[in-house]
Amino acid sequence: MMARPSPNALPWLALSALVIVLDQLSKWWVLTSLPEYTPIPVIEGFWNWYRTYNTGAAFSFLADAGGWQKWFFTVLGVGISVLLGHWLSRTPRADWRTALPFALVIGGALGNIIDRQVHGHVVDFIQWYWKDYYWPAFNIADCAVVGGAIGIVLFGLFQGKTAAKRS
């Protein structure tokens, strides 16, 4: 069993909290300021504010599943957050290549869990498009999860190559 480093990376959870606050504040703004299903151009031909809702996961996966998916994605998000939090407790604080992506995923996952539990769906509002192709709407929590996942993969690959060069 790996011993906990001292000091460990748990203070990186402050970044998770910041992601949650920014995500929830942006969704409050959306819910109080933007009309539903009406594009509001930010950058013409590329970016709209567009208030919509998702009862599923990425790309509306399981959106029409009948309601059980709310609990499935809640349990999945909590489970992933607990696992990453545990790994943070075993990560040296200075290891930002591990701690930063973990903290982003935790904050994003918990931000969307709050939506599922409070509203019954996730509030999405960032819409990117080009000509007639529209990327599915997303939110700040989604950005944090995707950015964190990319960081986990990229830093994991680079870390593996660095370790292999040292051998």
Side-chain angles (χ1 to χ4, degrees):
M1 182 156 106
M2 188 166 75
R4 285 185 182 197
S6 184
N8 65 36
L10 286 176
W12 280 88
L13 290 174
L15 176 60
S16 303
L18 178 63
V19 168
I20 293 167
V21 168
L22 292 175
D23 178 63
Q24 292 301 303
L25 284 174
S26 67
K27 290 172 180 173
W28 170 82
W29 170 74
V30 166
L31 292 170
T32 60
S33 302
L34 293 181
E36 291 182 322
Y37 313 114
T38 304
I40 308 293
V42 177
I43 299 175
E44 194 67 45
F46 176 69
W47 176 9
N48 291 328
W49 294 133
Y50 185 78
R51 178 176 158 189
T52 188
Y53 313 103
N54 186 358
T55 57
F59 303 101
S60 296
F61 176 67
L62 295 177
D64 296 326
W68 62 267
Q69 72 274 25
K70 169 184 170 182
W71 296 104
F72 173 75
F73 291 125
T74 296
V75 169
L76 182 65
V78 168
I80 289 169
S81 297
V82 167
L83 179 64
L84 292 177
H86 174 72
W87 288 349
L88 273 177
S89 76
R90 307 240 182 253
T91 299
R93 187 172 303 163
D95 183 3
W96 67 270
R97 287 180 180 92
T98 301
L100 173 69
F102 285 3
L104 288 173
V105 171
I106 291 168
L110 294 178
N112 280 338
I113 287 169
I114 291 168
D115 275 20
R116 289 184 198 289
Q117 295 305 308
V118 171
H119 306 294
H121 52 256
V122 173
V123 177
D124 290 325
F125 60 93
I126 302 168
Q127 181 185 58
W128 287 345
Y129 65 99
W130 178 255
K131 298 185 182 188
D132 291 332
Y133 176 75
Y134 286 78
W135 188 259
F138 57 98
N139 59 48
I140 291 174
D142 297 336
C143 293
V145 169
V146 169
I150 290 169
I152 290 168
V153 170
L154 288 180
F155 293 139
L157 289 175
F158 292 139
Q159 192 172 17
K161 289 183 180 184
T162 304
K165 285 182 183 178
R166 280 187 256 145
S167 302

